[in-house]
Amino acid sequence: MRYIIIGAGAVGGTIGGRLAESGHDVVLVARGAHLEALRRDGLRLISPHGAVTVPITAVGGPEELDLRDGDVLVLAVKTQDTAAILAAWAPRPVTGGGAAGEVLPLVCAQNAVENERMALRLFRHVYGMCVWLPALHLEPGTVVSHGAPLSGMLTLGRYPGGTDETAERIAAGLRDSMFAAPVEPDVMRWKYAKLLGNLGNAHQAICGRVPGSEPLMERLQAEGRAVLDAAGIPYTSPEEERRTRGDQVDETAVGGVDRPGGSSWQSLAKGSGSIEADYLNGEIVLLGRLHGVPTPANETVRRVAAEFAREHRPPGSMSMPTLLKLVEEEAAAHR
C-alpha cells in the first residue's frame, strides 16, 4: 500500500510521518510554506520520544501524482475544505483503469460526521476514522505529536458500516507505526461520541484553556446528547472509549511544553480565515432544528467562533464570562 495523506497538518503529518518512519510508502499533500519545507528538508516530527527528520515525498495536489492500484487516500483536512478536495481527487485516473473515486479507498481521518457522507457521493469505497491524536502544527515542515506511549488511537471501519480486508490491512500498517488501530463495524458510533468531545473546540479557541469552562462544556455536551438521542443516533460511552484506549495514548508535554490548544485553536492561531465549528457545534444545531431540541449554547459558540475566524481575531481573546453571557442571551431569546 502507498498512503497518500491529503492534508499534512497536525493529524495528517503525524500519521504520515509515523508510517514513513516505519518503512511504509507515503506521500504528503500540503501547500504553501509547509510544502516548500517538506520538499526541502523532509518532515520534522517532534514527540515525547524525541525529534526525528523523516525524508518524505511531498506534492501540492493530485496533478503532481500518478495514482495507482494499491494507493490509499487518507483525507486529513478540516471539514470545511472537504468538498473541494473530493472534487479534485475523485476524477483523477488510476493506472490500470478507472477513476480514483471508483477504485481507490478513501479514509476520512477527520473530526465531525459530515465528511463520510460527502465522500460517498464521489467515492465508492469510503472508510471512517475516529481520530484521537493530540498534535500541533504551527511551523512549516514541523509537526509536534503529544501522544505517548503511542502517538494516537485511530479507530477504523467502512462507511456507512462494516469492515473488510482493506480496513484490516490499513489498521495493521498503523499498528506497525505507533498507533492503536481498532477496526469497528460501526465506526460512526465512535465518531459521534468524538463529536461530543469536540464541542469544546470552539470555546477553547475563543477563550483559551481557562478555569471556569466546565459549566459551558457540560451544557454543550448536554445539548449534544439530547439531539443525538432525539435523532436516534447511537454513540459510544466515555467508559467504552476509556476501556478501548486504556493507557495506550495519553496527552503528554513535549520538551516540558503542553499543547496550547486543539485543532480549532490552531486554525485561529494560523489566521486561516476558517474554522470547523460549523460542522462540530453546527452539527448539533442542525440536528436540534430538525428534531425540535433547543441548542443555544452550541449556536452561540458556533456563531462567535465563525466571527473570530472571519475577522482573524487571535485565539483566547474573549473572556469566559463574556462568552457565558452571550450564551445566556441566546437562551433567553428562545424561551
Side-chain angles (χ1 to χ4, degrees):
M1 283 182 165
R2 179 175 65 166
Y3 296 86
I4 300 170
I5 314 294
I6 306 170
V11 168
T14 301
I15 293 173
R18 288 301 190 204
L19 285 167
E21 189 182 20
S22 62
H24 293 278
D25 191 0
V26 177
V27 177
L28 297 182
V29 182
R31 59 188 177 183
H34 188 41
L35 174 60
E36 293 174 11
L38 292 172
R39 283 174 164 164
R40 182 182 64 247
D41 304 318
L43 174 70
R44 182 167 170 77
L45 180 59
I46 305 171
S47 76
H49 306 285
V52 295
T53 298
V54 184
I56 204 161
T57 301
V59 301
E63 66 281 353
E64 298 180 31
L65 201 59
D66 290 327
L67 298 177
R68 62 196 190 212
D69 187 41
D71 284 345
V72 176
L73 305 181
V74 180
L75 191 57
V77 300
K78 298 292 195 304
T79 308
Q80 62 268 27
D81 298 321
T82 291
I85 295 293
L86 293 172
W89 285 83
R92 298 299 298 182
V94 176
T95 301
E102 290 298 315
V103 299
L104 295 185
L106 176 85
V107 179
C108 296
Q110 301 163 282
N111 288 330
V113 294
E114 182 65 16
N115 298 289
E116 289 81 4
R117 189 170 183 269
M118 286 193 282
L120 202 60
R121 295 176 186 272
L122 300 181
F123 280 81
R124 184 179 299 276
H125 307 288
V126 176
Y127 298 78
M129 178 179 281
C130 182
V131 176
W132 203 92
L133 194 165
L136 180 70
H137 166 59
L138 295 177
E139 179 184 342
T142 299
V143 170
V144 183
S145 169
H146 285 266
L150 299 181
S151 293
M153 186 170 84
L154 307 173
T155 305
L156 183 69
R158 279 197 70 105
Y159 180 81
T163 64
D164 60 13
E165 182 183 353
T166 298
E168 295 290 353
R169 289 182 63 199
I170 295 169
L174 292 168
R175 293 186 198 113
D176 288 341
S177 308
M178 294 189 68
F179 296 105
V183 177
E184 293 285 344
D186 189 0
V187 70
M188 295 310 292
R189 192 168 67 94
W190 291 82
K191 295 202 71 166
Y192 273 101
K194 180 71 178 347
L195 173 66
L196 292 175
N198 288 139
L199 296 180
N201 289 19
H203 81 67
Q204 184 194 83
I206 295 164
C207 302
R209 286 181 166 171
V210 295
S213 63
E214 293 83 2
L216 177 56
M217 186 63 184
E218 290 171 5
R219 190 164 180 174
L220 292 167
Q221 291 186 322
E223 291 179 1
R225 288 189 295 270
V227 301
L228 294 182
D229 292 344
I233 297 172
Y235 49 95
T236 56
S237 68
E239 293 75 23
E240 185 175 358
E241 293 174 50
R242 283 194 294 269
R243 282 197 307 271
T244 303
R245 191 170 80 233
D247 58 1
Q248 298 178 94
V249 188
D250 285 314
E251 185 168 341
T252 306
V254 175
V257 179
D258 290 322
R259 189 171 60 129
S263 58
S264 294
W265 185 95
Q266 293 174 51
S267 291
L268 294 184
K270 289 186 284 190
S272 65
S274 68
I275 198 166
E276 207 167 17
D278 283 352
Y279 295 96
L280 300 174
N281 307 92
E283 181 71 24
I284 300 306
V285 174
L286 170 63
L287 289 172
R289 290 171 178 172
L290 287 172
H291 297 279
V293 179
T295 58
N298 280 281
E299 171 56 28
T300 302
V301 298
R302 184 212 63 78
R303 183 182 68 249
V304 175
E307 291 171 358
F308 264 58
R310 284 196 306 271
E311 297 168 6
H312 296 278
R313 296 170 66 179
S317 55
M318 177 179 283
S319 72
M320 182 57 67
T322 299
L323 182 57
L324 287 170
K325 183 171 183 273
L326 293 174
V327 170
E328 292 302 333
E329 290 173 354
E330 181 73 25
H334 288 83
R335 289 190 185 116

